[in-house]
């Protein structure tokens, strides 16, 4: 599947991309909200890893701007602030799952993403 | 030259003696009288030292009786009787009747007549001079008598005068001593009521004074006057306020109709005669008047006016003084009430901590002369930070915080000085209870501190979590990719574990610093809280050997885990601070039987510090109690810890002895974890 990773922290993007690629997925990276929005529009992915707090455009802002243009993409919202959103808040923002950083196990994250897209 | 003596010849029949007498005209002046009328006329006009009566047979017997009477009228006059012939019987009779000086015969020769008359005259002269001597003696006697009489009178007068003035003096002395006693009585006067009582007693002697009323008018600040009437109603002195009476300038007003009407209106009964005496008071604020109801007549009235005249000045002065004292008492009472009305304790204290005066809120029972620390703070020593303990001498106001029981007071100390030296002789201490404010402030600071830590921790967590995400995830990836390369894989696994630990520390930090909300009633494992807490204290605990002896099975309790974490943090942190560089810390937890019903969780935190002096032990859980230096401790840590443990239905105790370390022991009710709840 096609994965878009939007995060201003390089090492986060890199670890997610490497893990996705080991599972045979194709991943593109965006280092901010604006670039992420652009990539998302030009080539809609199956899944988006979207960071909440970014310098140019925040995750929830990206979701708001993409609106109907997101296509069938699933969205996993990530944040380094633990306990920031509950499932209800996540849904109202237009995301499908919330994960707090750091992840317990990176492979479990990719597996959760695969299950979401397959469904 | 001696004048010639007169001679009266009474009779006329003898012709012989008459010419004989006439022959003696050089010697004497002779008159002749024949009848009673002539004799009377002659003797009335002239005094005759010699009378010659001619006794003859034809003489008028009435004439002889008249001559006989004449003798009595003229005792000095010498009577001679002439007879015509010597007849013994006639001589005898005539001598018997007339008692003449001499009887002569009328045929007497001129020579004999002359010598007889001369002798008679000489006899007269002698008698005259004897008589004049006698009269002089008599006169002198009389004068002497008069003088004696006068002298006696004088002595009598003097004696009377003396006894009169003695009585007068005695009267004066008794009056003066009465006056002196009165002045003495009135000098001890405390109130206008007493003045009336004394006056009433003093005027007892005037039975006709039936009532005495003292009226005092006072002009208030607003210019309106109020009058107080003070009167004796048998059972005691009464006093009441009435509308003002008209003032008049007269010192003494006797029986004025206005006064009788005024009193009749005030007392509801008729007043007949009223004497009003104004008591002159200095100043314009007060005026006073005495009313005497009386039944005097004018004399008694004058006596009474004199009596009052002697006393009015004393009365005025005494009343003046008692009114001033009354005013002063009122003022001072006002001050006393003012001070008692103030909710804060206030006391006037000497430099030696002796309480001179204090208000009601300073202490409930009066204990003048005792020390302020004993009365106010129930101590045997001056309070810590007492403003009086500061270096002397002090002339400025100071301020400090002192403790009484569980309360904190801000003590303001202001010196009171007198005289030119300006040296304070006492201090006004005003105490404001700031316990509540202090507690609020401390809690506020604590809260703000936690919020600030929360912000900081949140920021750090976010900044660290992102790189940590990459480190941990990449480590996990690489562990998979290095299968078969055992050493590399082991290294990577180490990196992954370190990243995991870092993640946990950050999570703990976030939880600890989380803003305190409503106390939750979650179930949690005490051991987990202890372990999590110790991760923050690693630096503080580095110099010490820490023995962690926690029960193997989870110890579940109900409450707010964050609050328990604060308690554990406080106690371990205190232990570290107490040991000053070396020693061991024991932290234990276990389950123990609690009564018959259930179990408790017991947490022990023990250090090897210097211990707590026995006298501090009862106080260490009190708010604001601290042995740490200024600015190092709020004195709230243990107090808050106790409150938290009590809120979780637990208890906290301390065991300590000097040099033997300190052990805090917390007991909390153990809860059994239900199957569907997760503990910890």
């Amino acid at each position: 599947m096609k994965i878009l990773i939007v995060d201003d922290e390089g090492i986060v993007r890199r670890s997610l991309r490497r893990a996705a690629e080991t599972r045979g997925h194709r991943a593109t990276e965006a280092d901010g909200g604006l670039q992420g929005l652009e990539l998302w529009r030009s080539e809609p992915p199956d899944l988006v890893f979207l960071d909440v707090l970014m310098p140019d455009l925040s995750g929830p802002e990206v979701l708001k701007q993409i609106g109907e243009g997101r296509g069938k993409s699933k969205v996993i919202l990530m944040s380094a602030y633990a306990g920031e959103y509950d499932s209800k808040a996540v849904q109202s923002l237009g995301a499908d799952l919330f994960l707090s950083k750091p992840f317990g196990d990176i492979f479990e994250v990719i597996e959760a993403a695969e299950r979401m897209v397959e469904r | 030259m001696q004048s010639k003596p007169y001679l009266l010849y009474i009779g006329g029949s003898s012709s012989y003696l008459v010419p004989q007498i006439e022959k003696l005209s050089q010697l004497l002046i002779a008159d002749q009288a024949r009848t009673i009328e002539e004799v009377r006329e002659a003797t009335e006009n002239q005094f005759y030292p010699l009378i010659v009566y001619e006794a003859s047979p034809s003489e008028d017997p009435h004439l002889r009786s008249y001559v006989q009477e004449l003798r009595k009228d003229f005792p000095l006059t010498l009577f001679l009787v002439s007879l015509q012939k010597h007849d013994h019987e006639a001589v005898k009779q005539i001598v018997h009747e007339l008692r003449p000086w001499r009887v002569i015969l009328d045929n007497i020769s001129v020579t004999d007549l002359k010598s007889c008359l001369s002798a008679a005259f000489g006899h007269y002269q002698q008698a005259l001079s004897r008589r004049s001597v006698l009269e002089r003696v008599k006169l002198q006697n009389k004068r002497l008598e008069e003088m004696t009489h006068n002298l006696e009178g004088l002595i009598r007068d003097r004696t009377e005068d003396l006894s009169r003035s003695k009585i007068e003096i005695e009267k004066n002395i008794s009056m003066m001593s009465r006056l002196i006693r009165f002045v003495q009585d009135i000098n001890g006067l405390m109130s206008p009521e007493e003045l009336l009582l004394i006056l009433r007693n003093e005027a007892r002697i005037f039975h006709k004074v039936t009532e005495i009323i003292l009226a005092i008018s006072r002009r208030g600040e607003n210019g309106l006057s109020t009058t107080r009437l003070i009167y004796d109603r048998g059972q005691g002195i009464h006093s009441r306020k009435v509308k003002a009476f008209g003032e008049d300038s007269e010192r003494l007003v006797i029986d004025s109709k206005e006064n009788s009407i005024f009193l009749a209106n005030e007392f509801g009964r008729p007043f007949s005669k009223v004497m009003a005496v104004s008591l002159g008071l200095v100043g314009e604020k007060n005026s006073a008047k005495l009313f005497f109801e009386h039944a005097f007549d004018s004399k008694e009235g004058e006596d009474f006016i004199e009596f009052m005249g002697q006393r009015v000045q004393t009365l005025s002065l005494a009343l003046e003084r008692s009114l001033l004292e009354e005013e002063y008492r009122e003022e001072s009472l006002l001050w006393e009430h003012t001070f008692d009305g103030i909710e804060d304790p206030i006391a006037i204290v000497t430099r030696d901590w002796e309480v001179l005066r204090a208000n009601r809120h300073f202490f409930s029972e009066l204990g003048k002369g005792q020390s302020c620390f004993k009365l106010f703070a129930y101590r045997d020593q001056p309070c810590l930070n007492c403003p009086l303990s500061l270096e002397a001498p002090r002339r400025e106001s100071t301020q400090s915080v002192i403790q009484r029981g569980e309360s904190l007071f801000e003590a303001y100390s202001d010196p009171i000085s007198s005289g030119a030296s300006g040296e304070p002789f006492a201090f006004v201490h005003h105490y404001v209870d700031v316990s509540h404010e202090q507690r609020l402030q401390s809690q506020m600071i604590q809260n703000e501190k936690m919020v600030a830590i929360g912000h900081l921790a949140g920021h750090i967590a976010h900044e660290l979590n992102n790189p940590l995400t990459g480190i941990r995830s990449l480590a996990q990836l690489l562990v998979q990719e290095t299968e078969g390369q055992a050493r590399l894989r082991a290294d990577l696994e180490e990196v992954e574990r370190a990243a995991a630990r870092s993640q946990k520390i950050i999570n703990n930090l976030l939880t600890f610093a989380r803003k305190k909300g409503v106390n939750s009633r979650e179930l949690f494992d005490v051991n987990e809280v202890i372990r999590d807490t110790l991760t923050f204290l690693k630096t503080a605990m580095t110099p010490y050997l820490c023995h962690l002896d926690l029960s193997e099975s989870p110890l579940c309790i109900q409450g707010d885990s964050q609050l328990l974490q604060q308690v554990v943090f406080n106690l371990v942190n205190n232990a570290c601070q107490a040991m000053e560089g070396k020693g061991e810390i024991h932290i234990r937890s276990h389950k123990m039987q609690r009564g018959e019903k259930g179990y408790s969780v017991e947490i022990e935190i023990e250090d090897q510090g210097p211990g707590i002096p026995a006298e501090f032990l009862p106080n260490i859980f009190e708010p604001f109690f601290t042995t740490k230096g200024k600015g190092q401790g709020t004195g709230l840590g243990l107090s808050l810890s106790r409150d938290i443990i009590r809120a979780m239905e637990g208890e906290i105790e301390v065991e300590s002895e000097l040099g033997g370390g300190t052990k805090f022991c917390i007991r909390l009710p153990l809860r059994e974890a239900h199957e569907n709840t997760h503990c910890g």
Side-chain angles (χ1 to χ4, degrees):
Chain A
M1 64 178 169
K2 225 161 72 182
I3 298 172
L4 175 63
I5 304 162
V6 187
D7 197 313
D8 57 328
E9 187 71 41
I11 197 166
V12 174
R13 292 197 303 273
R14 185 178 175 84
S15 59
L16 275 175
R17 185 169 57 79
R18 290 270 276 106
E21 281 170 355
T22 56
R23 302 278 292 186
H25 303 301
R26 197 157 53 83
T28 41
E29 293 176 34
D31 62 2
L34 287 173
Q35 197 192 3
L37 201 59
E38 196 180 309
L39 287 173
W40 197 343
R41 278 178 181 148
S42 63
E43 199 180 341
D46 299 306
L47 185 98
V48 182
F49 283 106
L50 185 60
D51 190 23
V52 174
L53 214 64
M54 286 176 292
D56 55 351
L57 208 62
S58 75
E61 196 61 32
V62 172
L63 280 171
K64 209 164 139 192
Q65 289 197 18
I66 195 83
E68 293 304 312
R70 67 186 275 180
K72 288 178 180 170
S73 308
K74 297 286 179 189
V75 177
I76 295 177
L77 211 53
M78 313 175 294
S79 174
Y81 279 114
E84 206 163 5
Y85 300 109
D86 60 14
S87 58
K88 238 186 196 165
V90 168
Q91 272 169 26
S92 71
L93 287 170
D96 300 283
L97 185 69
F98 176 79
L99 288 175
S100 63
K101 290 191 281 192
F103 313 122
D105 187 328
I106 189 73
F107 297 111
E108 281 178 15
V109 173
I110 301 299
E111 277 162 26
E114 283 168 353
R115 280 200 299 277
M116 271 172 63
V117 175
E118 277 166 19
R119 226 185 296 146
Chain B
M1 207 183 113
Q2 207 174 351
S3 59
K4 282 186 270 188
Y6 281 81
L7 182 146
L8 180 64
Y9 186 85
I10 303 170
S13 54
S14 171
S15 51
Y16 181 73
L17 197 56
V18 174
Q20 295 289 66
I21 289 168
E22 279 169 356
K23 284 177 188 164
L24 296 174
S25 63
Q26 284 173 318
L27 203 71
L28 47 80
I29 300 163
D31 293 330
Q32 188 175 4
R34 285 179 179 89
T35 61
I36 289 173
E37 280 71 33
E38 283 175 5
V39 173
R40 184 182 295 136
E41 197 188 333
T43 51
E44 273 173 6
N45 292 326
Q46 178 65 47
F47 173 71
Y48 297 95
L50 294 177
I51 293 176
V52 179
Y53 179 67
E54 183 195 286
S56 67
S58 59
E59 68 177 88
D60 182 0
H62 294 293
L63 187 62
R64 183 182 281 209
S65 299
Y66 186 80
V67 172
Q68 212 171 352
E69 286 302 310
L70 212 60
R71 274 194 64 98
K72 291 174 188 167
D73 293 338
F74 303 100
L76 271 186
T77 301
L78 290 178
F79 280 81
L80 284 93
V81 177
S82 72
L83 289 173
Q84 284 180 349
K85 63 175 183 185
H86 192 274
D87 180 347
H88 188 72
E89 274 305 308
V91 170
K92 212 173 153 185
Q93 194 176 345
I94 213 121
V95 167
H96 177 74
E97 281 175 10
L98 291 176
R99 295 189 178 279
W101 180 67
R102 197 144 305 168
V103 180
I104 53 170
L105 293 174
D106 60 3
N107 57 359
I108 194 167
S109 65
V110 172
T111 318
D112 285 348
L113 186 66
K114 187 184 171 186
S115 69
C116 180
L117 288 181
S118 292
F121 192 63
H123 193 83
Y124 165 76
Q125 289 283 8
Q126 259 180 10
L128 192 69
S129 71
R130 207 169 45 241
R131 187 187 143 141
S132 94
V133 167
L134 207 72
E135 272 181 355
R136 266 218 310 275
V137 168
K138 241 175 155 178
L139 194 74
Q140 278 177 350
N141 271 344
K142 204 178 163 193
R143 271 204 200 142
L144 220 68
E145 266 175 26
E146 267 176 17
M147 270 167 72
T148 312
H149 182 77
N150 282 350
L151 214 63
E152 279 174 354
L154 210 65
I155 288 169
R156 202 174 50 243
D157 286 356
R158 283 284 161 85
T159 315
E160 272 174 16
D161 272 359
L162 277 174
S163 62
R164 242 201 321 276
S165 55
K166 192 184 164 212
I167 291 168
E168 191 84 359
I169 285 169
E170 277 172 355
K171 208 175 118 194
N172 278 345
I173 286 173
S174 99
M175 195 185 74
M176 287 306 284
S177 61
R178 278 181 66 94
L179 255 178
I180 288 168
R181 212 173 42 244
F182 172 72
V183 169
Q184 279 172 348
D185 283 354
I186 219 111
N187 269 344
L189 185 83
M190 289 301 290
S191 63
E193 283 80 4
E194 236 173 287
L195 178 131
L196 188 72
L197 207 65
I198 292 169
L199 184 61
R200 167 106 233 154
N201 205 29
E202 186 75 6
R204 238 178 3 202
I205 47 169
F206 294 95
H207 303 293
K208 290 189 179 171
V209 174
T210 48
E211 171 113 47
I212 305 178
I213 297 154
L214 173 62
I216 302 167
S217 285
R218 177 186 282 191
R219 187 169 298 139
E221 303 289 331
N222 50 9
L224 291 174
S225 292
T226 52
T227 295
R228 181 155 50 127
L229 291 183
I230 301 169
Y231 51 97
D232 188 359
R233 266 292 136 88
Q235 298 108 356
I237 299 292
H238 292 249
S239 168
R240 66 187 163 105
K241 297 213 162 142
V242 299
K243 68 176 173 51
F245 65 81
E247 289 175 33
D248 44 31
S249 49
E250 292 294 317
R251 240 2 236 278
L252 178 69
V253 178
I254 300 170
D255 305 343
S256 101
K257 211 169 173 185
E258 283 77 18
N259 284 336
S260 295
I261 291 170
F262 167 71
L263 292 174
N265 282 337
E266 291 304 336
F267 286 89
R269 68 169 179 86
F271 276 72
S272 56
K273 293 203 279 182
V274 174
M275 195 184 284
V277 178
S278 286
L279 298 175
L281 301 180
V282 180
E284 293 186 342
K285 201 172 170 187
N286 292 320
S287 63
K289 205 180 270 192
L290 276 165
F291 294 107
F292 299 92
E293 192 189 18
H294 67 91
F296 289 140
D297 58 30
S298 66
K299 170 73 179 70
E300 291 162 330
E302 274 169 28
D303 285 351
F304 184 70
I305 289 168
E306 193 193 340
F307 168 86
M308 278 310 294
Q310 289 165 343
R311 284 158 179 79
V312 71
Q313 201 174 359
T314 313
L315 284 170
S316 298
L317 283 171
L319 183 65
E320 179 103 55
R321 186 171 55 76
S322 83
L323 285 176
L324 270 175
E325 275 173 9
E326 211 173 54
E327 209 170 311
Y328 170 76
R329 268 202 303 280
E330 276 170 23
E331 296 273 325
S332 113
L333 210 63
L334 185 68
W335 267 112
E336 207 165 292
H337 286 157
T338 306
F339 276 104
D340 279 346
I342 296 172
E343 287 288 327
D344 297 327
I346 295 174
I348 299 173
V349 181
T350 66
R351 193 180 285 289
D352 303 321
W353 293 281
E354 188 191 322
V355 175
L356 298 178
R357 286 198 78 168
N359 73 348
R360 198 157 51 85
H361 294 277
F362 183 79
F363 48 68
S364 48
E365 284 163 46
L366 198 73
K368 255 189 197 169
Q370 291 205 51
S371 60
C372 55
F373 48 81
K374 187 159 198 151
L375 289 171
F376 182 65
Y378 327 122
R379 290 169 197 265
D380 295 327
Q381 296 287 320
C383 304
L384 216 66
N385 304 327
C386 174
L388 290 178
S389 303
L390 298 174
E391 72 282 356
R394 178 167 72 76
R395 291 183 189 185
E396 297 83 34
S397 299
T398 52
Q399 178 187 345
S400 64
V401 176
I402 63 163
Q403 189 175 358
R404 172 169 84 167
E406 293 208 351
S407 305
L408 274 193
F409 285 87
E410 205 136 82
Y412 298 89
S413 173
D414 302 307
I416 314 173
S417 51
S418 69
S421 73
E423 197 62 37
F425 66 92
F427 299 85
V428 181
H429 279 193
H430 174 200
Y431 305 88
V432 181
D433 191 341
V434 290
S435 316
H436 188 60
E437 285 86 346
Q438 196 85 0
R439 214 166 277 159
L440 280 182
Q441 201 183 5
S442 292
Q443 275 171 3
M444 212 168 73
I445 290 170
Q446 189 81 2
N447 286 346
E448 280 179 6
K449 218 153 76 181
M450 294 310 282
V451 169
I453 291 174
H455 281 306
L456 189 67
H459 182 68
I460 291 169
H462 185 250
E463 291 305 308
L464 288 181
N465 270 345
N466 274 326
L468 209 56
T469 310
I471 292 166
R472 198 177 175 194
S473 300
L474 276 179
Q476 286 166 357
L477 262 167
L478 290 171
V479 165
Q480 277 212 345
E481 287 172 11
T482 51
E483 213 156 336
Q485 303 171 58
R487 272 183 63 191
L488 199 59
R489 190 185 167 106
D491 289 349
L492 285 166
E493 275 171 355
E494 198 60 41
V495 171
E496 202 274 334
R497 273 199 296 276
R501 204 167 64 243
S502 305
Q503 187 183 338
K504 192 171 178 190
I505 290 169
I506 290 166
N507 269 344
N508 268 342
L509 185 64
L510 277 174
T511 322
F512 181 64
R514 195 184 67 193
K515 195 179 169 189
K516 203 167 87 182
V518 183
N519 290 359
S520 59
R521 302 288 297 161
E522 59 189 329
L523 281 172
F524 60 91
D525 179 11
V526 167
N527 291 335
E528 203 172 314
V529 169
I530 295 172
R531 277 192 214 97
D532 286 352
T533 311
L534 292 182
T535 57
F536 305 124
L537 288 160
K538 262 185 184 158
T539 320
M541 283 165 55
T542 312
Y544 313 108
L545 201 60
C546 181
H547 300 276
L548 198 59
D549 178 14
L550 303 182
S551 70
E552 282 177 18
S553 54
L555 296 171
C556 217
I557 65 160
Q558 192 171 30
D560 189 320
S561 61
Q562 261 70 52
L563 291 179
L564 184 66
Q565 201 168 25
Q566 277 190 26
V567 175
V568 175
F569 185 94
N570 272 338
L571 293 178
V572 177
N573 198 36
N574 279 352
C576 294
Q577 285 180 344
M579 288 197 292
E580 293 171 340
K582 57 176 182 186
E584 295 178 11
I585 298 176
H586 288 267
I587 300 166
R588 304 181 197 93
S589 76
H590 52 262
K591 176 176 154 182
M592 61 177 285
Q593 181 78 36
R594 184 185 59 162
E596 289 177 3
K597 283 182 185 170
Y599 292 92
S600 281
V601 174
E602 193 170 63
I603 307 166
E604 289 174 8
I605 294 158
E606 189 176 358
D607 66 46
Q608 292 181 334
I612 302 165
E615 66 261 33
F616 289 168
L617 278 178
N619 300 326
I620 61 163
F621 290 111
E622 278 176 15
F624 313 111
F625 182 88
T626 180
T627 56
K628 297 175 186 172
K630 203 171 182 181
Q632 289 186 341
T634 57
L636 276 175
L638 286 176
S639 157
L640 281 177
S641 297
R642 185 185 57 177
D643 292 349
I644 289 168
I645 297 300
R646 280 182 179 171
M648 292 188 201
E649 296 162 41
E651 55 194 32
I652 182 166
E653 282 171 7
V654 63
E655 286 171 32
S656 182
E657 57 183 87
L658 268 183
T662 303
K663 182 165 92 175
F664 282 93
C665 188
I666 298 167
R667 272 179 225 101
L668 290 158
L670 181 78
R671 311 279 178 185
E672 295 302 332
H674 295 289
E675 282 173 26
N676 55 350
T677 54
H678 175 67
C679 174

